[in-house]
Amino acid sequence: MLLSQIKTETGIAVVAREGSEAAIVQGAASTYALALEAANSGRSLAQVIATHGLGPAVDLLRAAAEGRMLAPITHPDPAHLHLTGTGLTHLGSAATRDAMHTKANADDATDSMKMFRMGLEGGKPASGPGVQPEWFYKGNGMHLVAPGAALTSPGFALDGGEEPELAGIYIIDAQGRPCRIGWALANEFSDHVTERINYLYLAHSKLRQAAIGPEILVGDLPHDVRGSSRIRRAGAVIWEKPFLSGEANMSHSFANLEHHHFKYDLFRQPGDLHVHMFGTATLSFADGIRPEPGDIFEIEVAAFGLPLTNPLAVAPDDGMTTVHTL
């Protein structure tokens, strides 16, 4: 099952589809409300949706063309939606990062390469927790961008580049238990030029917007996920590469990555939403591409329904931020 949210004349509608048949979930205020109902009742999301029943059919392609697709899940209070992620989790993902962080002494492995090797050796334990991954914070729900909407690079940024990833979507139930709603395509938009200056700038480079969707895949994730990441400029594809994910292409298991995120009490607060991005090995930046305003990022995996597309925009530079004394 795939879930999405669309704008309607009366507000927001949740859309469920299997195959080509898409319909509005009756009496559903939002995907968040459905997920909270499932988490706190002990029922699966599919059972809750079946209880609600399906109403009018929806043409999702038309909704996307009309700009009516919303992020597939949001929180009523954006401060309670956490955007986070892990890096160096995919086989081959260290190559670009290592090149960005190479030290003067070529015989001395970078910290990125060391962490990547740690993941290869201990990221998929037979039982119990494995090695910790790299972890980063992107912001809260204020940084979540709808499919089709612009990913806006701050005026002070040195770059705005795509990162095609899978994201796990989670809600915390009334007992503080993390519950996975499903999986979504994500563009973990980052500033790779800033990161290249020094790996300690990674935190700064990640404090950017991100997009997910348009649809959430409910249920099991394929072991081997294959799709494409591309950039269009003035209607023409200027860069394209395969996008690989799923545990078959990763150095960590999802269970290990989930444990090391939700082991913190901070991230187990009832009612909170989490969008946790799991890393990538595919970047246009690695091929010397410099995205320009108006370029369109497109991430596509057949199992996830509609492609995730977002144009690039750049905000004006607001100059020096000053703090006022009260």
Side-chain angles (χ1 to χ4, degrees):
M1 180 184 292
L2 293 163
L3 289 180
S4 57
Q5 295 188 131
I6 62 171
K7 296 177 188 176
T8 69
E9 293 180 354
T10 57
I12 297 174
V14 180
V15 178
R17 77 172 172 117
E18 296 188 47
S20 60
E21 302 297 321
I24 291 175
V25 180
Q26 298 188 111
S30 64
T31 308
Y32 173 78
L34 286 173
L36 198 60
E37 182 181 346
N40 289 335
S41 67
R43 293 177 293 163
S44 71
L45 194 51
Q47 289 172 328
V48 168
I49 291 170
T51 299
H52 278 258
L54 299 180
V58 174
D59 184 340
L60 284 179
L61 286 174
R62 180 177 177 181
E66 293 174 349
R68 294 191 292 115
M69 299 299 299
L70 301 169
I73 193 165
T74 55
H75 195 288
D77 180 354
H80 287 276
L81 189 158
H82 305 274
L83 293 174
T84 56
T86 55
L88 297 170
T89 54
H90 284 63
L91 302 176
S93 64
T96 302
R97 185 75 68 82
D98 196 50
M100 286 195 282
H101 301 169
T102 298
K103 297 178 181 178
N105 183 354
D107 295 328
D108 183 19
T110 65
D111 288 333
S112 293
M113 185 59 74
K114 289 175 183 176
M115 180 160 281
F116 177 69
R117 290 172 181 167
M118 287 167 61
L120 289 176
E121 295 168 2
K124 292 182 176 179
S127 62
V131 67
Q132 294 186 119
E134 174 191 68
W135 183 96
F136 56 83
Y137 173 71
K138 287 195 68 66
N140 60 26
M142 298 298 294
H143 270 183
L144 185 62
V145 171
L151 284 164
T152 303
S153 186
F156 58 77
L158 302 180
D159 177 49
E162 89 298 335
E163 292 203 18
E165 306 190 10
L166 296 185
I169 316 297
Y170 307 87
I171 195 167
I172 311 301
D173 72 9
Q175 285 72 48
R177 180 184 60 173
C179 302
R180 189 190 312 112
I181 297 167
W183 314 84
L185 297 177
N187 189 332
E188 198 269 288
F189 186 60
S190 300
D191 183 343
H192 302 108
V193 173
T194 291
E195 182 186 350
R196 185 174 57 184
I197 293 171
N198 188 301
Y199 79 97
L200 294 176
Y201 279 161
L202 177 69
H204 286 284
S205 75
K206 295 297 187 182
L207 282 169
R208 300 290 187 272
Q209 294 179 334
I212 61 169
E215 301 176 84
I216 295 174
L217 174 65
V218 178
D220 294 332
L221 181 73
H223 189 61
D224 184 12
V225 175
R226 294 172 180 260
S228 296
S229 178
R230 63 184 68 91
I231 299 176
R232 298 183 187 273
R233 180 175 295 166
V237 175
I238 64 165
W239 176 86
E240 183 171 14
K241 266 195 171 178
F243 162 50
L244 304 178
S245 194
E247 286 193 2
N249 303 296
M250 296 174 66
S251 53
H252 286 260
S253 67
F254 285 113
N256 190 53
L257 298 174
E258 290 171 335
H259 162 72
H260 284 297
H261 178 68
F262 289 111
K263 67 184 180 184
Y264 297 102
D265 291 343
L266 172 66
F267 295 143
R268 298 198 306 271
Q269 299 302 305
D272 279 6
L273 277 179
H274 290 256
V275 175
H276 192 66
M277 288 156 268
F278 290 110
T280 188
T282 305
L283 301 174
S284 65
F285 179 79
D287 293 334
I289 301 297
R290 182 72 183 249
E292 299 176 357
D295 286 357
I296 296 175
F297 303 119
E298 187 173 284
I299 302 166
E300 185 173 21
V301 175
F304 286 80
L306 299 180
L308 176 60
T309 61
N310 298 91
L312 171 64
V314 177
D317 190 347
D318 294 331
M320 183 72 179
T321 299
T322 58
V323 176
H324 299 276
T325 301
L326 299 179

